[in-house]
Amino acid sequence: MRDDLSPLMIPEEDFREFTEKQIEPWIEKEFITGKFESFDSTKIAYYYAVNPDEKASVVMSHGYCEFFPKYYELAYIFYNMGYSVFFVEHRGYGFSDRVVPELDHVYVKSYDQYVEDFREYMDQIVKKQSKTKTYVLFAHSMGGCIASLFLEKYHDYFKCAVLSSPMHKMVLGSFKPWQVELISGIMKLTGNERKIVPGQREFDGINVWEKSSSLSKARYDYQFDKRLSVPEYTTYAGTYAWTRASLHGSKKCLKDASNVTTPILLCEAGKDALVDNEGHRIFVERTGTTTYKIYPESKHELFNATPDIRNEYFEDVFNYIDKMLE
C-alpha cells in the first residue's frame, strides 16, 4: 500500500465513528453546495470542494439510486490525495429536480438528458472553479454508462477517466432485451411509463445488507441510515421509462465505444450481480484506450468491498491517475 494512501483507508470497525466525527464535519466546512439550471431548465444539485494544492479536479458521476453522502468517504480520500472534488446528483436523484412525485421512483426520458446535464455542470461550475483546469472523471455503475456516453460525444474535457463497475450492459434476469423494449414501449404508449417495473419495489425501510452489492456492512449501514433520515435519498425503484432509457443508453455506449479518445481505467467486480460484465469486454475491445482490471472476489461496489479488495482498488486507481497526469 502506498504510504500516502494507507492512512486514508478506514478500518471497518472504525468507519461509523470516523465518518460522523471527522468526515461529516469536514464536508460541512469545505463543500460548496448549490443548484444550476440545466439545458431544459431542470435544477441540478451539485457539491464541490477546491483543494488549494490541487493536482487536478475529480468529477464524479454516481450510480443508480445513489446520492452524495454515499460518496463522502471517496470525496475525503480524493481530497486528501491532493484533488479537488466535484459531485453532481443526476436529475431525479437527491436534491435535483424530479419529474415524478414519488421520491423513491427513478425516472428519466433518455440518457441524453444525463449527458447534457453533465456537460452543463462541467461548463457552468467545474471549469469556473477548478484551479488547474485539468479534469479526471470518476464514475460508478449507471454513472459509468453516462460517463461513457459523455466521453463518446465530448472528447476534450477529461485528461483520463476511471469507470468503476460501469453499466455497459444491463442484467435483465429472465427477460430478453427485445422483450424489455416491447413491454416498456407498450407502457409508454398506454401512459404507464412512470410505474415501476416488476421486480422493483418502493422503499420500505428494511435493511437488506446480505443481498446488497456491498461487502462492507459498516458502510452499507451508514448509507442506508442516510436513506432513513433524508426522504430525498430514498430513490429505490426503477420505472418503465428509466428501464427503457437505460437499455437504450447501454446499447448506445457499446455501439459508439470506438468514438472514445480519453484514456480509461475500467475496474470490474468479478461477482457483480447488477451489470453484465460481458459489456466491459466489448467496450475495452472497441475503445482501444482502456486499461482493464478485474477484482474477482468483489461485488458491484468496489469502493465498499473488503479491506484487501479496497486497498488494491484504491492503489490501482491512484497509480493510474498519477501516471495519466505525468
Side-chain angles (χ1 to χ4, degrees), residues 86-150:
F86 292 83
F87 191 96
V88 62
E89 287 176 331
H90 298 302
R91 62 173 61 209
Y93 290 97
F95 288 90
S96 292
D97 282 357
R98 301 162 185 261
V99 172
V100 295
E102 299 89 351
L103 293 176
D104 55 356
H105 289 198
V106 184
Y107 175 92
V108 74
K109 288 183 179 179
S110 167
Y111 272 45
D112 291 340
Q113 294 179 310
Y114 290 143
V115 170
E116 292 309 308
D117 289 342
F118 206 76
R119 182 188 60 79
E120 291 283 356
Y121 181 48
M122 291 298 300
D123 291 347
Q124 292 189 41
I125 307 299
V126 181
K127 285 187 173 182
K128 294 179 180 179
Q129 302 301 329
S130 171
K131 295 173 70 68
T132 61
K133 312 303 179 187
T134 300
Y135 313 110
V136 175
L137 177 55
F138 178 91
H140 170 67
S141 194
M142 180 195 80
C145 181
I146 296 167
S148 299
L149 292 167
F150 184 95

Side-chain angles (χ1 to χ4, degrees), residues 246-310:
S246 297
L247 185 63
H248 288 180
S250 58
K251 284 182 176 179
K252 189 174 189 299
C253 83
L254 292 184
K255 176 178 175 290
D256 296 341
S258 61
N259 292 340
V260 174
T261 60
T262 305
I264 294 170
L265 171 64
L266 194 159
C267 300
E268 175 181 301
K271 295 184 177 180
D272 202 323
L274 299 185
V275 302
D276 185 340
N277 287 338
E278 181 188 6
H280 299 158
R281 291 182 278 279
I282 297 171
F283 185 84
V284 170
E285 181 181 349
R286 292 181 180 176
T287 57
T289 62
T290 303
T291 300
Y292 189 22
K293 178 63 186 288
I294 302 173
Y295 304 83
E297 298 303 313
S298 184
K299 288 186 175 183
H300 184 60
E301 296 179 2
L302 288 157
F303 47 84
N304 288 332
T306 56
D308 57 329
I309 296 172
R310 293 178 69 256

